[in-house]
Amino acid sequence: MKTTNLFLILILLSTTLFAENGSELWLRKKATSNVNINCSKSSATIQIALNELKNGWQGEDGATIELKIVKDKQLKADGFRLNKNSIQATTDAGLLYGAYEMLRRQHTGQEIRNEVINSDYNLRLLNHWDNLNGSIERGYAGRSIFWHGTDSLEVSENDLKKWKEYARANASVGINGTVLNNVNASPSVLTTPVLERAKAVADVLRPYGIKTYLAVNFASPEVIGGLETADPLDPEVKAWWNDKVKEIYALIPDFGGFLVKANSEGQPGPQNFGRTHADGANMMAEALQPYNGIVMWRAFVYNPSDEDRAKQAYNEFMPLDGQFHENVIIQVKNGPIDFQPREPFSPLFGAMKHTPVMPELQITMEYLGQSVHLVFLATMWEEFLKSETWQEGAGSTVARCTDGSIFNQKHSAIAGVANIGLDDNWCGHDFAQANWYAFGRQAWNHSLSSAQIAEEWIKLTFGPDSFNDKEITPEFEWNLAFVEPVKNMMLESREATVNYMMPLGLHHIFSAHAHYGPGPWWAPPGMRKDWTPPYYHQADSLGIGFDRTAAGSNAISQYHEPLATQLGDVNMCPESLLLWFHHLPWDYQMKNGRSLWDEMCYRYDAGVKQVRTFQQLWDKTERFVDPERFAAVQHKLTEQSMNALEWKDACLLYFQQFSKLPIPYELERPMHNLDELLKRDKVRVRRSQ
Ligand code: GCV
């Protein structure tokens, strides 16, 4: 081989080996100084804490710190006391969380002082919608990290490596539980060979303080147990679940419990046997109770009926409040419909006063541009968690109604539907990692601001070690020309998406099935109405929007006063939710004096412009980012920009058929025509069926 060829191969090899592919997430900072650590206790968890501190220490060189298990009434189970030279906790996991916090502060330049840091929620879980065959429902980052098929259950070295990296990333942001499989659960998940693989995962997660949970299918006793029924009051069914739970705990002694989607979107449930959700949940809770296991029972239920879909979960679950066992938690999606770019909070939050209720957030961006659009979700979750329910007077925010501080409940919990797959960068989009990070941080501390979370994530994920241009004077230039503008882009990104997809409270006007791209027109004959966009936007020659006031579906009555009155009064309802609650004429006058139609046009236009600004901003950061991640994000922003324009044109041209009004002349003219967009959507819908 010629020397030049060899040389070329070596260069190629080194760039491939050292290419930044995002796989290190926010954990890429390495130690720059030495530390001595004293700790009198040893355990697998503490060993991880020691290694992390040694490998990541950026404090004073040669410092000595102490890790100590203490008795301290101020500390909750996962909490810790952080000091310049010590971390104290009542549990090993507390010490590990303390170690990660200490490093985070060092790596992001935050102060370390004497402080007690407890978590707001006790249970902070990821839900994986991973199927046993390795596919992921609403997954946009490759195949499952847990499952490769029921004929491939053997655990490989690669599996173990991936699970360990996954556990480490989760622990570093405080996530302490994970549901390994889809809520549309295959009954096979409870067969012994599958449980053995779940045990292997649990063994890797345990030292990182993470418990393992499974989503189960309510019909399992019939499908895999050979029983004639799955009726929760049937003694044989109860015995089947008791035996199954015993088998699980023999394999996984610290198993967390079950997550259940029942009588929802075709899944079996207690109602198949004339029983209630409480009957079903309590039967499982009884089986799990001796082992301290819990049941997370989802309230995502709706049926094709004349009742507004937004009201159905409340109607079904409120009468059951107080009937659930202590180890049942009702898991409620943040909004009353389904993870839309903007929804009001579900009225169940705070209303169920005798049953623990946990929020379910969606980290994977089913409805927000999937792994193509850059959307930082912390702002959406912050808005949700800080929403005032008024259930127990002022200050009864959703966060406080669910974290145990208002209602005296044994368990407080929060879940996020994971956006993780086998892609090199875990999440499909480098910036989607920020949403995994943000979920963990907000689950730990729901008062953290999105701005702080964004800044932490940027400083941990990028930085001088990955500068493309080595001449940069790090601190000053980096902060001014990278951290600040990128943070601002992240903070603006969700509102931009709301603008170009569905401003002013519009919702669920997506292309069918895949939920990617616009489809406000989709309503094939015979289709269930509540699965078609016209059901939600209700556009006609008179106006647009869903009337949920007393004159309409009266969904506002499910909210507590004074909120119900505020939402029901068109003059007091926040404009961001106007068309969620009101059907208004096209010439309705907005607060800024524009007509509703004009305002819609301006909002769509603003969304498109915002994404174009993101493109410009990102291009200016090239010097600060390694070529691989720079190009990957640049490429995605281009696609997002094209998508935003498609959204704007599709929605405005479609709604214009009803409003019969011109798009204000000072705005950019449509770049597509409606026929072309309809054809494009037909192809998209066909492909996704
Ligand atoms: C897991 C929506 C999604 C489904 C999801 C369901 C749920 O309908 O489109 O993919 O199923 O919500 O949360 O159960």
Side-chain angles (χ1 to χ4, degrees):
M1 192 184 291
K2 277 211 213 137
T3 338
T4 37
N5 282 353
L6 188 70
F7 187 61
L8 275 176
I9 290 173
L10 281 176
I11 291 186
L12 225 112
L13 210 69
S14 66
T15 42
T16 331
L17 284 179
F18 300 112
E20 280 281 357
N21 59 9
S23 59
E24 288 187 274
L25 297 160
W26 50 86
L27 292 161
R28 45 202 305 288
K29 303 275 183 263
K30 305 283 178 284
T32 52
S33 39
N34 294 315
V35 62
N36 307 306
I37 312 170
N38 294 331
C39 181
S40 55
K41 191 179 170 201
S42 81
S43 72
T45 304
I46 289 178
Q47 194 52 50
I48 295 170
L50 300 183
N51 291 344
E52 292 288 8
L53 286 167
K54 282 197 175 129
N55 298 332
W57 188 256
Q58 293 196 352
E60 193 194 330
D61 193 23
T64 299
I65 63 161
E66 186 184 37
L67 264 57
K68 198 170 179 192
I69 295 288
V70 292
K71 286 200 175 107
D72 184 337
K73 289 221 167 72
Q74 279 184 277
L75 296 178
K76 293 209 272 178
D78 290 339
F80 52 90
R81 186 184 287 279
L82 193 65
N83 230 320
K84 221 163 173 298
N85 293 318
S86 72
I87 303 169
Q88 299 182 348
T90 59
T91 61
D92 296 3
L95 290 181
L96 181 61
Y97 294 132
Y100 283 122
E101 182 64 28
M102 190 165 238
L103 293 176
R104 177 168 27 249
R105 293 196 181 198
Q106 289 179 356
H107 297 171
T108 58
Q110 295 178 65
E111 198 191 348
I112 299 174
R113 53 191 148 78
N114 186 1
E115 223 176 314
V116 166
I117 303 180
N118 284 313
S119 67
D120 284 331
Y121 290 101
N122 299 335
L123 307 174
R124 307 170 294 277
L125 277 85
L126 286 186
N127 287 184
H128 288 265
W129 287 357
D130 294 19
N131 299 310
L132 299 184
N133 67 8
S135 63
I136 303 180
E137 183 155 351
R138 310 304 178 185
Y140 313 104
R143 312 260 314 161
S144 168
I145 65 167
F146 298 120
W147 310 105
H148 317 306
T150 40
D151 52 358
S152 175
L153 291 168
E154 211 170 301
V155 176
S156 69
E157 283 304 314
N158 272 347
D159 287 332
L160 293 172
K161 183 169 171 280
K162 196 79 192 168
W163 298 341
K164 195 167 166 184
E165 288 168 1
Y166 165 84
R168 177 175 178 234
N170 279 331
S172 75
V173 290
I175 291 168
N176 68 353
T178 190
V179 183
L180 300 182
N181 63 305
N182 191 356
V183 287
N184 289 326
S186 162
S188 309
V189 81
L190 291 178
T191 56
T192 305
V194 177
L195 290 177
E196 275 163 0
R197 188 171 167 90
K199 171 202 160 43
V201 179
D203 288 345
V204 178
L205 304 190
R206 186 171 301 112
Y208 288 87
I210 301 170
K211 278 193 181 183
T212 299
Y213 300 73
L214 291 172
V216 296
N217 184 300
F218 199 81
S220 301
E222 283 175 281
V223 186
I224 59 163
L227 301 189
E228 283 184 356
T229 177
D231 181 348
L233 301 193
D234 183 288
E236 273 191 80
V237 171
K238 287 185 183 189
W240 188 88
W241 282 106
N242 287 343
D243 289 348
K244 194 41 87 180
V245 165
K246 192 170 169 197
E247 180 188 346
I248 296 174
Y249 278 91
L251 289 166
I252 310 172
D254 58 347
F255 180 67
F258 293 149
L259 171 64
V260 193
K261 172 174 177 177
N263 293 122
S264 161
E265 298 187 330
Q267 291 298 320
Q271 292 174 342
N272 298 27
F273 310 95
R275 313 294 183 194
T276 67
H277 284 287
D279 294 328
N282 289 342
M283 178 266 298
M284 289 188 184
E286 278 162 30
L288 288 158
Q289 198 276 331
Y291 310 91
N292 290 323
I294 60 163
V295 177
M296 292 162 291
W297 192 270
R298 294 176 91 227
F300 179 63
V301 295
Y302 63 101
N303 286 309
S305 73
D306 289 339
E307 185 61 290
D308 176 2
R309 172 172 167 188
K311 290 176 71 181
Q312 295 187 27
Y314 183 100
N315 288 349
E316 194 148 339
F317 277 83
M318 277 308 284
L320 301 175
D321 190 18
Q323 293 182 28
F324 293 95
H325 287 351
E326 204 184 41
N327 56 336
V328 176
I329 313 180
I330 304 302
Q331 183 165 314
V332 181
K333 289 188 183 184
N334 57 294
I337 299 283
D338 193 7
F339 297 138
Q340 300 299 290
R342 169 164 281 124
E343 294 192 45
F345 65 88
S346 160
L348 278 169
F349 291 109
M352 290 189 87
K353 299 185 197 306
H354 309 287
T355 314
V357 171
M358 63 188 281
E360 177 180 311
L361 309 173
Q362 196 184 42
I363 311 172
T364 189
M365 301 201 306
E366 174 180 357
Y367 294 101
L368 284 105
Q370 301 175 1
S371 60
V372 178
H373 295 201
L374 188 161
V375 191
F376 182 50
L377 299 174
T379 49
M380 173 158 94
W381 299 332
E382 186 178 355
E383 173 181 300
F384 160 71
L385 289 164
K386 292 183 177 162
S387 291
E388 179 62 88
T389 73
W390 292 101
Q391 288 290 344
E392 298 289 313
S396 321
T397 58
V398 169
R400 295 193 66 243
C401 287
T402 50
D403 71 1
S405 56
I406 292 189
F407 304 115
N408 184 20
Q409 58 205 43
K410 190 167 169 203
H411 299 289
S412 71
I414 186 164
V417 181
N419 61 348
I420 296 159
L422 277 175
D423 275 6
D424 282 345
N425 71 2
W426 296 86
C427 302
H429 191 310
D430 286 295
F431 275 77
Q433 298 177 353
N435 292 331
W436 178 7
Y437 181 87
F439 170 75
R441 298 291 286 133
Q442 284 176 327
W444 182 280
N445 178 353
H446 54 55
S447 313
L448 278 182
S449 71
S450 308
Q452 172 169 345
I453 297 172
E455 184 164 333
E456 281 178 11
W457 178 79
I458 296 168
K459 287 183 171 172
L460 295 169
T461 306
F462 299 97
D465 53 332
S466 65
F467 285 174
N468 196 12
D469 175 350
K470 303 288 174 208
E471 302 296 303
I472 296 166
T473 16
E475 276 309 302
F476 174 72
E477 277 202 64
W478 188 49
N479 270 322
L480 214 70
F482 188 81
V483 179
E484 280 304 309
V486 171
K487 178 171 79 181
N488 291 337
M489 168 176 75
M490 289 170 75
L491 295 177
E492 194 185 324
S493 59
R494 183 272 187 137
E495 206 58 47
T497 303
V498 169
N499 281 338
Y500 65 71
M501 284 188 182
M502 31 202 105
L504 301 170
L506 286 172
H507 51 289
H508 223 305
I509 54 175
F510 296 92
S511 178
H513 314 304
H515 299 161
Y516 188 88
W521 42 73
W522 190 76
M527 176 54 63
R528 246 179 89 159
K529 282 206 177 47
D530 58 348
W531 281 351
T532 70
Y535 171 88
Y536 299 97
H537 62 65
Q538 308 258 325
D540 55 24
S541 61
L542 300 178
I544 183 168
F546 199 123
D547 185 357
R548 295 195 162 102
T549 67
S553 78
N554 205 17
I556 53 141
S557 65
Q558 295 182 338
Y559 291 93
H560 201 280
E561 289 296 358
L563 189 56
T565 301
Q566 187 196 339
L567 296 173
D569 180 337
V570 69
N571 296 312
M572 291 200 280
C573 180
E575 287 192 340
S576 58
L577 289 172
L578 205 58
L579 303 177
W580 185 284
F581 289 109
H582 298 270
H583 185 81
L584 295 172
W586 295 107
D587 63 357
Y588 171 80
Q589 197 182 352
M590 304 292 292
K591 294 204 173 83
N592 61 10
R594 285 191 192 127
S595 70
L596 171 61
W597 167 253
D598 279 4
E599 183 63 12
M600 263 178 64
C601 296
Y602 271 92
R603 297 274 179 133
Y604 274 107
D605 192 69
V608 172
K609 287 194 177 123
Q610 281 167 296
V611 183
R612 288 181 186 161
T613 321
F614 299 163
Q615 286 185 282
Q616 286 169 333
L617 186 152
W618 185 251
D619 280 359
K620 281 199 236 161
T621 66
E622 187 165 5
R623 295 189 306 143
F624 299 94
V625 188
D626 48 278
E628 297 77 15
R629 287 188 296 173
F630 175 78
V633 173
Q634 186 185 47
H635 178 77
K636 298 240 169 180
L637 279 170
T638 310
E639 210 170 330
Q640 182 175 359
S641 195
M642 292 190 294
N643 286 176
L645 185 63
E646 185 186 337
W647 267 100
K648 172 193 159 192
D649 286 354
C651 294
L652 291 184
L653 291 173
Y654 169 74
F655 290 131
Q656 193 177 37
Q657 299 180 117
F658 302 98
S659 78
K660 307 257 187 263
L661 292 165
I663 293 171
Y665 295 109
E666 58 275 26
L667 299 182
E668 188 177 85
R669 303 292 89 195
M671 309 285 270
H672 305 89
N673 68 57
L674 194 55
D675 286 345
E676 169 206 335
L677 291 167
L678 284 166
K679 269 193 214 134
R680 195 185 285 187
D681 187 45
K682 264 200 183 132
V683 176
R684 202 155 33 202
V685 172
R686 213 176 21 247
R687 283 211 190 113
S688 61
Q689 264 166 336

